[in-house]
Amino acid sequence: MENKKFILETLQRIFDFLSRKPKVLPKTILNPVVVTKPKPQPEAPKIAEDKPSAVQPKWHPPIRSDKFRPTQRFLNPDPIYKITGHHPGTDYGTQGEDGVPLHFCADGEIIESGLHKAFGNYFFYYVPAVDRTFVYFHLRDIAPAHGQYKAGQQCGTTGETGMSAGIHLHLECMKGRKTSVDRARLFISKDALAEAAEDADTFIRSRINLS
């Protein structure tokens, strides 16, 4: 009898336990995690880089200023030049005055010099800033040594060495870095001369006005 009573009480307890309503736990409101993007920082002002200024090379008359007047111009008909029939450079006569100072027309380099039966004492002067070779003929004395020189430095004096009808400077302007071998190869006609060379006086004079 007691066992039966125990069993009934136990079953009642189980029934009571299962009949209970579960306690509802209060909901916890979680704060959402907000991911904040960093604000873009203002760009530092760009400092303009200093660009190298296009400095014009200095230029100088090739002969003393009072004689810087052509007496024979580039491409004038000239029977002395039998192959082209035209004058390949610019002549600056001195009206008989000997030893008039000559000057390098720009910064450059003597790449050839010597004594020639037609050119007399001469030199080929390359100016890299403009990619031109200036040719000085008929100097009274031997040309300066090979090397680099500055615009305005004296490079000799006028004379009448070689095939010259009087004291003067014969000046040529050839395109590119050229020597006497190139000159002989290129000066084969008037058209070829006009293609390979240009008016030295006009070329230098225009740049003297700019410098």
Side-chain angles (χ1 to χ4, degrees):
M1 207 51 195
E2 291 180 1
N3 288 339
K4 186 176 179 180
K5 184 179 180 180
F6 175 77
I7 292 170
L8 290 173
E9 288 178 353
T10 302
L11 290 173
Q12 183 64 43
R13 289 193 191 99
I14 294 171
F15 178 77
D16 292 341
F17 177 80
L18 293 175
S19 300
R20 290 178 186 172
K21 291 183 180 181
K23 292 183 179 180
V24 179
L25 296 174
K27 293 182 180 180
T28 304
I29 300 174
L30 299 176
N31 293 327
V33 177
V34 179
V35 179
T36 306
K37 293 183 180 180
K39 293 182 180 179
Q41 297 295 323
E43 292 185 3
K46 294 181 179 179
I47 300 173
E49 295 181 1
D50 292 334
K51 295 181 179 179
S53 58
V55 178
Q56 295 288 338
K58 291 182 179 179
W59 289 83
H60 194 280
I63 191 169
R64 196 177 68 201
S65 58
D66 64 308
K67 301 298 182 185
F68 188 37
R69 297 188 300 270
T71 52
Q72 171 70 303
R73 291 192 173 274
F74 176 64
L75 283 185
N76 277 359
D78 193 334
I80 293 177
Y81 296 91
K82 300 185 183 302
I83 296 176
T84 65
H86 291 78
H87 195 244
T90 302
D91 285 350
Y92 299 97
T94 65
Q95 296 74 47
E97 183 179 349
D98 192 15
V100 175
L102 303 176
H103 303 275
F104 292 108
C105 59
D107 296 353
E109 176 188 4
I110 291 182
I111 58 174
E112 181 185 341
S113 62
L115 176 62
H116 187 276
K117 65 180 181 179
F119 309 159
N121 289 314
Y122 76 96
F123 65 88
F124 282 64
Y125 188 64
Y126 179 64
V127 178
V130 292
D131 193 29
R132 295 291 187 276
T133 300
F134 294 89
V135 187
Y136 290 65
F137 287 172
H138 312 307
L139 278 67
R140 186 182 68 183
D141 304 309
I142 296 173
H146 289 204
Q148 296 183 347
Y149 296 89
K150 293 290 186 182
Q153 282 185 275
Q154 186 169 340
C155 59
T157 56
T158 54
E160 50 183 337
T161 56
M163 292 179 60
S164 174
I167 300 170
H168 72 288
L169 167 66
H170 174 93
L171 183 70
E172 296 177 4
C173 175
M174 301 183 66
K175 299 173 184 177
R177 184 185 176 101
K178 297 294 190 293
T179 64
S180 58
V181 173
D182 299 312
R183 183 181 184 276
R185 175 175 56 83
L186 294 169
F187 289 8
I188 55 174
S189 69
K190 178 188 176 183
D191 290 341
L193 170 60
E195 179 67 25
E198 55 194 304
D199 189 332
D201 184 74
T202 299
F203 192 94
I204 295 172
R205 199 176 293 275
S206 65
R207 283 156 178 79
I208 289 174
N209 292 337
L210 291 174
S211 59

